[in-house]
Every structure is written in C-alpha cells, then in structure tokens.
PDB file of all heavy atoms in Angstrom:
ATOM      1  N   THR A   1     -12.262   6.973 -23.090  1.00  0.00           N
ATOM      2  CA  THR A   1     -13.279   6.047 -22.597  1.00  0.00           C
ATOM      3  C   THR A   1     -12.625   4.759 -22.127  1.00  0.00           C
ATOM      4  O   THR A   1     -12.998   4.212 -21.095  1.00  0.00           O
ATOM      5  CB  THR A   1     -14.308   5.736 -23.703  1.00  0.00           C
ATOM      6  OG1 THR A   1     -14.812   6.947 -24.206  1.00  0.00           O
ATOM      7  CG2 THR A   1     -15.432   4.901 -23.185  1.00  0.00           C
ATOM      8  N   SER A   2     -11.627   4.284 -22.839  1.00  0.00           N
ATOM      9  CA  SER A   2     -10.965   3.044 -22.436  1.00  0.00           C
ATOM     10  C   SER A   2     -10.115   3.271 -21.187  1.00  0.00           C
ATOM     11  O   SER A   2     -10.012   2.407 -20.338  1.00  0.00           O
ATOM     12  CB  SER A   2     -10.136   2.476 -23.578  1.00  0.00           C
ATOM     13  OG  SER A   2      -9.004   3.289 -23.813  1.00  0.00           O
ATOM     14  N   ASN A   3      -9.511   4.488 -21.060  1.00  0.00           N
ATOM     15  CA  ASN A   3      -8.736   4.803 -19.868  1.00  0.00           C
ATOM     16  C   ASN A   3      -9.631   4.890 -18.641  1.00  0.00           C
ATOM     17  O   ASN A   3      -9.295   4.381 -17.589  1.00  0.00           O
ATOM     18  CB  ASN A   3      -7.973   6.113 -20.036  1.00  0.00           C
ATOM     19  CG  ASN A   3      -6.718   5.943 -20.871  1.00  0.00           C
ATOM     20  OD1 ASN A   3      -6.242   4.827 -21.029  1.00  0.00           O
ATOM     21  ND2 ASN A   3      -6.209   7.037 -21.395  1.00  0.00           N
ATOM     22  N   SER A   4     -10.760   5.551 -18.762  1.00  0.00           N
ATOM     23  CA  SER A   4     -11.650   5.649 -17.613  1.00  0.00           C
ATOM     24  C   SER A   4     -12.298   4.304 -17.317  1.00  0.00           C
ATOM     25  O   SER A   4     -12.580   3.983 -16.170  1.00  0.00           O
ATOM     26  CB  SER A   4     -12.691   6.752 -17.811  1.00  0.00           C
ATOM     27  OG  SER A   4     -13.537   6.460 -18.898  1.00  0.00           O
ATOM     28  N   GLY A   5     -12.503   3.479 -18.336  1.00  0.00           N
ATOM     29  CA  GLY A   5     -13.054   2.140 -18.117  1.00  0.00           C
ATOM     30  C   GLY A   5     -12.062   1.264 -17.374  1.00  0.00           C
ATOM     31  O   GLY A   5     -12.418   0.526 -16.454  1.00  0.00           O
ATOM     32  N   SER A   6     -10.785   1.330 -17.745  1.00  0.00           N
ATOM     33  CA  SER A   6      -9.776   0.524 -17.055  1.00  0.00           C
ATOM     34  C   SER A   6      -9.529   1.070 -15.656  1.00  0.00           C
ATOM     35  O   SER A   6      -9.255   0.321 -14.717  1.00  0.00           O
ATOM     36  CB  SER A   6      -8.476   0.474 -17.855  1.00  0.00           C
ATOM     37  OG  SER A   6      -7.899   1.761 -17.943  1.00  0.00           O
ATOM     38  N   SER A   7      -9.630   2.392 -15.506  1.00  0.00           N
ATOM     39  CA  SER A   7      -9.488   3.001 -14.182  1.00  0.00           C
ATOM     40  C   SER A   7     -10.620   2.553 -13.270  1.00  0.00           C
ATOM     41  O   SER A   7     -10.414   2.257 -12.102  1.00  0.00           O
ATOM     42  CB  SER A   7      -9.469   4.520 -14.322  1.00  0.00           C
ATOM     43  OG  SER A   7      -9.452   5.120 -13.056  1.00  0.00           O
ATOM     44  N   LEU A   8     -11.817   2.494 -13.843  1.00  0.00           N
ATOM     45  CA  LEU A   8     -12.982   2.052 -13.071  1.00  0.00           C
ATOM     46  C   LEU A   8     -12.834   0.585 -12.675  1.00  0.00           C
ATOM     47  O   LEU A   8     -13.142   0.203 -11.552  1.00  0.00           O
ATOM     48  CB  LEU A   8     -14.262   2.271 -13.895  1.00  0.00           C
ATOM     49  CG  LEU A   8     -15.572   1.945 -13.211  1.00  0.00           C
ATOM     50  CD1 LEU A   8     -15.748   2.826 -11.979  1.00  0.00           C
ATOM     51  CD2 LEU A   8     -16.725   2.128 -14.166  1.00  0.00           C
ATOM     52  N   LYS A   9     -12.311  -0.234 -13.601  1.00  0.00           N
ATOM     53  CA  LYS A   9     -12.102  -1.662 -13.302  1.00  0.00           C
ATOM     54  C   LYS A   9     -11.043  -1.819 -12.204  1.00  0.00           C
ATOM     55  O   LYS A   9     -11.180  -2.657 -11.312  1.00  0.00           O
ATOM     56  CB  LYS A   9     -11.665  -2.407 -14.554  1.00  0.00           C
ATOM     57  CG  LYS A   9     -12.768  -2.630 -15.558  1.00  0.00           C
ATOM     58  CD  LYS A   9     -12.255  -3.387 -16.761  1.00  0.00           C
ATOM     59  CE  LYS A   9     -13.318  -3.527 -17.833  1.00  0.00           C
ATOM     60  NZ  LYS A   9     -12.823  -4.234 -19.023  1.00  0.00           N
ATOM     61  N   ALA A  10      -9.988  -1.003 -12.246  1.00  0.00           N
ATOM     62  CA  ALA A  10      -8.929  -1.076 -11.247  1.00  0.00           C
ATOM     63  C   ALA A  10      -9.464  -0.684  -9.871  1.00  0.00           C
ATOM     64  O   ALA A  10      -9.154  -1.325  -8.861  1.00  0.00           O
ATOM     65  CB  ALA A  10      -7.760  -0.172 -11.639  1.00  0.00           C
ATOM     66  N   LYS A  11     -10.292   0.359  -9.845  1.00  0.00           N
ATOM     67  CA  LYS A  11     -10.887   0.780  -8.566  1.00  0.00           C
ATOM     68  C   LYS A  11     -11.813  -0.299  -8.026  1.00  0.00           C
ATOM     69  O   LYS A  11     -11.827  -0.580  -6.827  1.00  0.00           O
ATOM     70  CB  LYS A  11     -11.633   2.090  -8.734  1.00  0.00           C
ATOM     71  CG  LYS A  11     -10.739   3.288  -8.923  1.00  0.00           C
ATOM     72  CD  LYS A  11     -11.543   4.552  -9.077  1.00  0.00           C
ATOM     73  CE  LYS A  11     -10.633   5.757  -9.337  1.00  0.00           C
ATOM     74  NZ  LYS A  11     -11.401   6.991  -9.526  1.00  0.00           N
ATOM     75  N   ALA A  12     -12.590  -0.914  -8.897  1.00  0.00           N
ATOM     76  CA  ALA A  12     -13.515  -1.976  -8.474  1.00  0.00           C
ATOM     77  C   ALA A  12     -12.729  -3.170  -7.940  1.00  0.00           C
ATOM     78  O   ALA A  12     -13.110  -3.782  -6.935  1.00  0.00           O
ATOM     79  CB  ALA A  12     -14.409  -2.390  -9.639  1.00  0.00           C
ATOM     80  N   LEU A  13     -11.615  -3.503  -8.608  1.00  0.00           N
ATOM     81  CA  LEU A  13     -10.779  -4.615  -8.158  1.00  0.00           C
ATOM     82  C   LEU A  13     -10.164  -4.312  -6.789  1.00  0.00           C
ATOM     83  O   LEU A  13     -10.160  -5.170  -5.890  1.00  0.00           O
ATOM     84  CB  LEU A  13      -9.681  -4.895  -9.186  1.00  0.00           C
ATOM     85  CG  LEU A  13      -8.723  -6.035  -8.859  1.00  0.00           C
ATOM     86  CD1 LEU A  13      -9.485  -7.349  -8.761  1.00  0.00           C
ATOM     87  CD2 LEU A  13      -7.631  -6.135  -9.890  1.00  0.00           C
ATOM     88  N   CYS A  14      -9.674  -3.091  -6.613  1.00  0.00           N
ATOM     89  CA  CYS A  14      -9.104  -2.699  -5.316  1.00  0.00           C
ATOM     90  C   CYS A  14     -10.155  -2.750  -4.216  1.00  0.00           C
ATOM     91  O   CYS A  14      -9.889  -3.204  -3.102  1.00  0.00           O
ATOM     92  CB  CYS A  14      -8.516  -1.295  -5.403  1.00  0.00           C
ATOM     93  SG  CYS A  14      -6.972  -1.235  -6.330  1.00  0.00           S
ATOM     94  N   LEU A  15     -11.370  -2.285  -4.549  1.00  0.00           N
ATOM     95  CA  LEU A  15     -12.468  -2.315  -3.575  1.00  0.00           C
ATOM     96  C   LEU A  15     -12.813  -3.748  -3.203  1.00  0.00           C
ATOM     97  O   LEU A  15     -13.036  -4.062  -2.037  1.00  0.00           O
ATOM     98  CB  LEU A  15     -13.687  -1.581  -4.135  1.00  0.00           C
ATOM     99  CG  LEU A  15     -14.900  -1.513  -3.229  1.00  0.00           C
ATOM    100  CD1 LEU A  15     -14.555  -0.718  -1.966  1.00  0.00           C
ATOM    101  CD2 LEU A  15     -16.074  -0.882  -3.936  1.00  0.00           C
ATOM    102  N   ALA A  16     -12.843  -4.644  -4.182  1.00  0.00           N
ATOM    103  CA  ALA A  16     -13.156  -6.050  -3.917  1.00  0.00           C
ATOM    104  C   ALA A  16     -12.087  -6.692  -3.040  1.00  0.00           C
ATOM    105  O   ALA A  16     -12.389  -7.436  -2.100  1.00  0.00           O
ATOM    106  CB  ALA A  16     -13.303  -6.809  -5.231  1.00  0.00           C
ATOM    107  N   ILE A  17     -10.825  -6.410  -3.306  1.00  0.00           N
ATOM    108  CA  ILE A  17      -9.722  -6.971  -2.519  1.00  0.00           C
ATOM    109  C   ILE A  17      -9.774  -6.430  -1.085  1.00  0.00           C
ATOM    110  O   ILE A  17      -9.618  -7.188  -0.117  1.00  0.00           O
ATOM    111  CB  ILE A  17      -8.366  -6.671  -3.182  1.00  0.00           C
ATOM    112  CG1 ILE A  17      -8.238  -7.462  -4.485  1.00  0.00           C
ATOM    113  CG2 ILE A  17      -7.217  -6.986  -2.245  1.00  0.00           C
ATOM    114  CD1 ILE A  17      -7.031  -7.096  -5.314  1.00  0.00           C
ATOM    115  N   ALA A  18     -10.014  -5.132  -0.943  1.00  0.00           N
ATOM    116  CA  ALA A  18     -10.082  -4.531   0.389  1.00  0.00           C
ATOM    117  C   ALA A  18     -11.237  -5.113   1.192  1.00  0.00           C
ATOM    118  O   ALA A  18     -11.111  -5.389   2.387  1.00  0.00           O
ATOM    119  CB  ALA A  18     -10.216  -3.017   0.275  1.00  0.00           C
ATOM    120  N   THR A  19     -12.370  -5.313   0.539  1.00  0.00           N
ATOM    121  CA  THR A  19     -13.533  -5.889   1.222  1.00  0.00           C
ATOM    122  C   THR A  19     -13.240  -7.316   1.675  1.00  0.00           C
ATOM    123  O   THR A  19     -13.575  -7.706   2.805  1.00  0.00           O
ATOM    124  CB  THR A  19     -14.760  -5.864   0.289  1.00  0.00           C
ATOM    125  OG1 THR A  19     -14.987  -4.532  -0.145  1.00  0.00           O
ATOM    126  CG2 THR A  19     -15.997  -6.391   0.978  1.00  0.00           C
ATOM    127  N   ALA A  20     -12.596  -8.098   0.808  1.00  0.00           N
ATOM    128  CA  ALA A  20     -12.273  -9.481   1.163  1.00  0.00           C
ATOM    129  C   ALA A  20     -11.291  -9.525   2.332  1.00  0.00           C
ATOM    130  O   ALA A  20     -11.449 -10.328   3.259  1.00  0.00           O
ATOM    131  CB  ALA A  20     -11.696 -10.203  -0.050  1.00  0.00           C
ATOM    132  N   LEU A  21     -10.277  -8.668   2.298  1.00  0.00           N
ATOM    133  CA  LEU A  21      -9.290  -8.650   3.375  1.00  0.00           C
ATOM    134  C   LEU A  21      -9.884  -8.186   4.695  1.00  0.00           C
ATOM    135  O   LEU A  21      -9.547  -8.703   5.755  1.00  0.00           O
ATOM    136  CB  LEU A  21      -8.099  -7.775   2.993  1.00  0.00           C
ATOM    137  CG  LEU A  21      -7.192  -8.337   1.893  1.00  0.00           C
ATOM    138  CD1 LEU A  21      -6.109  -7.328   1.541  1.00  0.00           C
ATOM    139  CD2 LEU A  21      -6.584  -9.653   2.305  1.00  0.00           C
ATOM    140  N   SER A  22     -10.784  -7.218   4.645  1.00  0.00           N
ATOM    141  CA  SER A  22     -11.399  -6.754   5.893  1.00  0.00           C
ATOM    142  C   SER A  22     -12.297  -7.828   6.483  1.00  0.00           C
ATOM    143  O   SER A  22     -12.407  -7.958   7.697  1.00  0.00           O
ATOM    144  CB  SER A  22     -12.170  -5.453   5.665  1.00  0.00           C
ATOM    145  OG  SER A  22     -13.317  -5.695   4.862  1.00  0.00           O
ATOM    146  N   GLY A  23     -12.928  -8.615   5.644  1.00  0.00           N
ATOM    147  CA  GLY A  23     -13.737  -9.732   6.130  1.00  0.00           C
ATOM    148  C   GLY A  23     -12.887 -10.767   6.825  1.00  0.00           C
ATOM    149  O   GLY A  23     -13.245 -11.308   7.872  1.00  0.00           O
ATOM    150  N   LEU A  24     -11.712 -11.064   6.258  1.00  0.00           N
ATOM    151  CA  LEU A  24     -10.807 -12.022   6.881  1.00  0.00           C
ATOM    152  C   LEU A  24     -10.265 -11.488   8.197  1.00  0.00           C
ATOM    153  O   LEU A  24     -10.157 -12.210   9.189  1.00  0.00           O
ATOM    154  CB  LEU A  24      -9.647 -12.336   5.935  1.00  0.00           C
ATOM    155  CG  LEU A  24      -9.980 -13.144   4.681  1.00  0.00           C
ATOM    156  CD1 LEU A  24      -8.747 -13.265   3.802  1.00  0.00           C
ATOM    157  CD2 LEU A  24     -10.510 -14.510   5.042  1.00  0.00           C
ATOM    158  N   ALA A  25      -9.901 -10.207   8.215  1.00  0.00           N
ATOM    159  CA  ALA A  25      -9.381  -9.609   9.445  1.00  0.00           C
ATOM    160  C   ALA A  25     -10.439  -9.592  10.526  1.00  0.00           C
ATOM    161  O   ALA A  25     -10.149  -9.820  11.699  1.00  0.00           O
ATOM    162  CB  ALA A  25      -8.883  -8.202   9.160  1.00  0.00           C
ATOM    163  N   SER A  26     -11.670  -9.336  10.145  1.00  0.00           N
ATOM    164  CA  SER A  26     -12.760  -9.314  11.122  1.00  0.00           C
ATOM    165  C   SER A  26     -12.982 -10.696  11.708  1.00  0.00           C
ATOM    166  O   SER A  26     -13.193 -10.845  12.907  1.00  0.00           O
ATOM    167  CB  SER A  26     -14.036  -8.802  10.444  1.00  0.00           C
ATOM    168  OG  SER A  26     -15.118  -8.853  11.334  1.00  0.00           O
ATOM    169  N   ALA A  27     -12.932 -11.725  10.869  1.00  0.00           N
ATOM    170  CA  ALA A  27     -13.107 -13.094  11.355  1.00  0.00           C
ATOM    171  C   ALA A  27     -11.952 -13.479  12.274  1.00  0.00           C
ATOM    172  O   ALA A  27     -12.155 -14.099  13.315  1.00  0.00           O
ATOM    173  CB  ALA A  27     -13.211 -14.058  10.183  1.00  0.00           C
ATOM    174  N   ALA A  28     -10.735 -13.106  11.913  1.00  0.00           N
ATOM    175  CA  ALA A  28      -9.580 -13.410  12.751  1.00  0.00           C
ATOM    176  C   ALA A  28      -9.669 -12.660  14.069  1.00  0.00           C
ATOM    177  O   ALA A  28      -9.329 -13.199  15.125  1.00  0.00           O
ATOM    178  CB  ALA A  28      -8.290 -13.050  12.013  1.00  0.00           C
ATOM    179  N   HIS A  29     -10.142 -11.424  14.031  1.00  0.00           N
ATOM    180  CA  HIS A  29     -10.295 -10.624  15.238  1.00  0.00           C
ATOM    181  C   HIS A  29     -11.337 -11.257  16.167  1.00  0.00           C
ATOM    182  O   HIS A  29     -11.126 -11.319  17.374  1.00  0.00           O
ATOM    183  CB  HIS A  29     -10.697  -9.198  14.875  1.00  0.00           C
ATOM    184  CG  HIS A  29     -10.949  -8.313  16.044  1.00  0.00           C
ATOM    185  ND1 HIS A  29      -9.948  -7.903  16.889  1.00  0.00           N
ATOM    186  CD2 HIS A  29     -12.100  -7.786  16.546  1.00  0.00           C
ATOM    187  CE1 HIS A  29     -10.465  -7.153  17.841  1.00  0.00           C
ATOM    188  NE2 HIS A  29     -11.770  -7.073  17.647  1.00  0.00           N
ATOM    189  N   ALA A  30     -12.422 -11.744  15.600  1.00  0.00           N
ATOM    190  CA  ALA A  30     -13.464 -12.365  16.414  1.00  0.00           C
ATOM    191  C   ALA A  30     -12.936 -13.633  17.085  1.00  0.00           C
ATOM    192  O   ALA A  30     -13.220 -13.890  18.253  1.00  0.00           O
ATOM    193  CB  ALA A  30     -14.691 -12.676  15.556  1.00  0.00           C
TER     194      ALA A  30
END
C-alpha cells in the first residue's frame, strides 16, 4: 500500500510538472 501510494504520488508529481512545462511552452510559442 505504501509502495503504490508513493508510486501514485510520483505519477501525480510528474503529471503536474509536465502540465506546468507545457503551459510555459505554449505561452512561449504564442
């Protein structure tokens, strides 16, 4: 349970970072 919880947190963190970076790239592209 703790392994899947930390895995879920890592995936959520990666998703948040990717979303933030794509927003910056989109603004720079515009």
Side-chain angles (χ1 to χ4, degrees):
T1 307
S2 70
N3 281 341
S4 64
S6 65
S7 175
L8 184 61
K9 286 181 185 179
K11 288 180 183 178
L13 180 62
C14 287
L15 181 63
I17 291 172
T19 304
L21 290 176
S22 69
L24 290 175
S26 176
H29 177 68

